[in-house]
């Protein structure tokens, strides 16, 4: 009976413990490639299951007009436990995200 009480107390403490705070998340992988004037590329993962990657390339829009075109994605685990992924592009048409959970116009 004594073991059962100790087990019950340990179980109650484990269940009552708050989840890990996202502020305590650590970067588990990081890659960065600076391509100078031509653009950049990076990606990282964190201990709280956040992932992000992004790439930019210089695009010429005409005489003396150029800008970076950015493509990327990020993923995170929502409060419901589901993993959400957003893919995006930012170019001359603005920021354009796409994801299954984002309504389309």
């Amino acid at each position: 009976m004594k073991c059962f009480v100790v087990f019950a107390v340990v179980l109650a403490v484990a269940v009552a413990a708050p989840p890990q705070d996202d502020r305590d998340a650590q970067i588990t992988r990081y890659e960065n490639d600076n391509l100078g004037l031509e653009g950049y590329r990076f990606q990282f993962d964190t201990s709280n299951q956040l992932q992000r990657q992004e790439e930019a390339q210089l695009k010429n829009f005409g005489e003396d007009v150029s800008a970076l075109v950015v493509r990327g994605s990020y993923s995170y685990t929502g409060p419901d436990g589901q993993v959400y992924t957003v893919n995006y592009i930012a170019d001359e048409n603005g920021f354009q995200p796409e994801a299954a959970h984002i309504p389309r116009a």
Side-chain angles (χ1 to χ4, degrees):
M1 180 69 175
K2 194 183 228 184
C3 283
F4 177 73
V5 171
V6 171
F7 176 73
V9 170
V10 170
L11 181 62
V13 170
V15 170
Q20 179 183 358
D21 191 345
D22 284 343
R23 292 178 291 183
D24 297 331
Q26 302 291 315
I27 295 174
T28 58
R29 182 177 70 128
Y30 177 75
E31 296 177 26
N32 184 24
D33 190 13
N34 183 342
L35 306 173
L37 296 175
E38 297 301 313
Y40 63 85
R41 183 177 313 126
F42 72 85
Q43 58 185 344
F44 65 84
D45 298 340
T46 64
S47 59
N48 63 340
Q49 311 308 315
L50 182 95
Q51 297 179 334
R52 180 161 178 215
Q53 59 185 20
E54 186 171 289
E55 179 178 317
Q57 294 179 333
L58 188 63
K59 181 177 178 183
N60 189 341
F61 293 103
E63 199 173 306
D64 295 330
V65 179
S66 15
L68 288 175
V69 173
V70 179
R71 298 176 192 279
S73 68
Y74 60 91
S75 299
Y76 63 94
T77 302
D80 58 0
Q82 182 176 345
V83 176
Y84 294 91
T85 300
V86 177
N87 298 304
Y88 59 88
I89 183 170
D91 60 9
E92 69 273 14
N93 298 312
F95 180 71
Q96 305 154 60
E98 288 185 355
H101 65 283
I102 296 177
R104 292 181 177 248

